[in-house]
Amino acid sequence: MESLDADGWASLFNAARESACHLEMRDHYAVEEEKSDIEKWRAGKWGPEQDAASKAGWLKLMRDTAARGVRLRRLRIISEPVTEYIRFEHEGTPQNIAAGEDVRWLPRRHASGLALPGNDCWVIDGRTVLFNHFTGEGGWVGNELSSDPEVARICADAFESAWKIGVPHAEYILT
């Protein structure tokens, strides 16, 4: 297993020509780089400006990728009522949208009939899959890159099935 650094992420997205789709399926992430952000958010010391500054590198990568005509979509499958982490994520989503991502939410109860991959993943141009691995507590473990055509097809089909029934961010009301 590997872990992409900033250059690795940039290479992945710079190689995208048509689409980059992110399937997120966890209700809680506990990645180190967000811990202080979440504490500030809990304390009421967090808003759009702080969120945008915290993920400035990511947002720039998304803006640059979208500017090349790559369609960026993110789908979050979530349990309801939502976790505190999902509330934090939902509040920061407008920055992702402003950077060029289209974001939808899918309540887990509506995903029961879908065949989904075992891990969160990015599907690039329907041909490359980057799996994101986490511990049971939500900590970051690493990435796994696959260019296996069957794996890419399975993940791309799963994303499209979920996307069709996902709720656009502007219409999703937290419960």
Side-chain angles (χ1 to χ4, degrees):
M1 191 162 350
E2 60 185 275
S3 287
L4 293 183
D5 60 11
D7 290 337
W9 283 101
S11 293
L12 182 70
F13 282 91
N14 288 337
R17 296 292 168 248
E18 299 170 9
S19 65
C21 304
H22 192 192
L23 182 59
E24 296 179 23
M25 300 180 287
R26 297 182 58 89
D27 289 318
H28 177 77
Y29 295 87
V31 294
E32 284 299 319
E33 58 268 15
E34 285 183 335
K35 286 184 178 180
S36 67
D37 296 350
I38 291 171
E39 289 303 319
K40 291 174 190 169
W41 175 78
R42 282 183 187 131
K45 298 176 181 177
W46 192 258
E49 299 82 20
Q50 292 82 6
D51 189 73
S54 176
K55 54 189 182 187
W58 178 259
L59 297 175
K60 181 183 182 327
L61 180 59
M62 293 300 96
R63 281 191 301 276
D64 293 348
T65 303
R68 292 193 335 270
V70 175
R71 184 176 182 201
L72 301 168
R73 295 182 292 163
R74 179 185 300 261
L75 180 87
R76 294 173 170 147
I77 298 176
I78 53 165
S79 299
E80 292 177 315
V82 300
T83 63
E84 177 188 55
Y85 183 85
I86 294 301
R87 288 185 184 287
F88 169 77
E89 210 172 32
H90 188 272
E91 195 171 300
T93 296
Q95 283 67 251
N96 296 73
I97 293 169
E101 292 186 41
D102 189 1
V103 179
R104 291 188 182 181
W105 302 83
L106 179 59
R108 194 172 309 282
R109 71 180 182 278
H110 297 303
S112 297
L114 301 177
L116 299 168
N119 294 289
D120 288 13
C121 61
W122 278 96
V123 180
I124 308 297
D125 293 333
R127 293 186 291 277
T128 303
V129 180
L130 180 73
F131 291 103
N132 295 312
H133 296 289
F134 299 91
T135 67
E137 297 294 318
W140 179 252
V141 176
N143 305 107
E144 178 184 354
L145 197 59
S146 176
S147 57
D148 180 314
E150 183 62 12
V151 170
R153 184 192 63 74
I154 289 168
C155 293
D157 288 351
F159 181 88
E160 293 302 332
S161 294
W163 184 259
K164 285 178 188 172
I165 58 175
V167 179
H169 177 75
E171 298 171 25
Y172 182 71
I173 299 168
L174 293 178
T175 60

